[in-house]
Amino acid sequence: QVQLVESGGGSVQAGGSLRLSCAAFGHIYSGYCMGWFRQAPGKEREGVAVIWSHGVSTYYADSVKGRFTISQDSAKNTLYLQMNSLKPEDTAVYYCAADFGSGDCSPTASGGGYWGQGTQVTVSS
């Protein structure tokens, strides 16, 4: 089994930065694609950023391009999301996921693979 544990969420003012971490435990395959999703109150969960093949390919939602950066440290089995220039509309619960979708880590996936419990990010104006 695989367990994903997110950390690094919190409250910040608009324009600030946070770095989310996702530690992976268990039978992690080094080739797993991984990603970050978020869900704001009353909204559907959306894919924020995805990383394939240890950074050979990445995806970012239009709403976060140029502000968020996804990365991973394979030696530490940890995924990161550096979030800069945060906006109130970035407020959401952020989830880490691995090998989701049909194993292809599509940003539009609604399940599959492994998911963390989420970490709250609140951005005040």
Side-chain angles (χ1 to χ4, degrees):
Q1 290 298 322
V2 173
Q3 184 181 14
L4 302 176
V5 180
E6 302 98 335
S7 61
S11 298
V12 65
Q13 289 192 327
S17 298
L18 284 173
R19 188 176 80 156
L20 304 184
S21 298
C22 171
F25 302 93
H27 297 289
I28 286 289
Y29 169 53
S30 63
Y32 279 160
C33 46
M34 300 187 74
W36 290 96
F37 286 73
R38 68 185 181 186
Q39 187 166 20
K43 294 187 177 182
E44 293 187 355
R45 188 167 58 188
E46 64 169 338
V48 174
V50 181
I51 187 166
W52 292 273
S53 303
H54 301 288
V56 171
S57 297
T58 56
Y59 160 88
Y60 294 96
D62 287 343
S63 57
V64 307
K65 280 181 182 177
R67 300 187 299 122
F68 289 12
T69 302
I70 188 171
S71 62
Q72 64 184 140
D73 185 332
S74 299
K76 296 181 179 180
N77 279 344
T78 301
L79 180 73
Y80 301 100
L81 185 68
Q82 178 67 43
M83 306 186 295
N84 298 328
S85 303
L86 283 162
K87 304 176 181 179
E89 50 264 43
D90 294 319
T91 295
V93 177
Y94 284 71
Y95 298 90
C96 165
D99 197 36
F100 51 90
S102 302
D104 59 353
C105 291
S106 167
T108 60
S110 59
Y114 310 97
W115 295 77
Q117 293 301 305
T119 185
Q120 176 71 45
V121 171
T122 302
V123 184
S124 58
S125 58

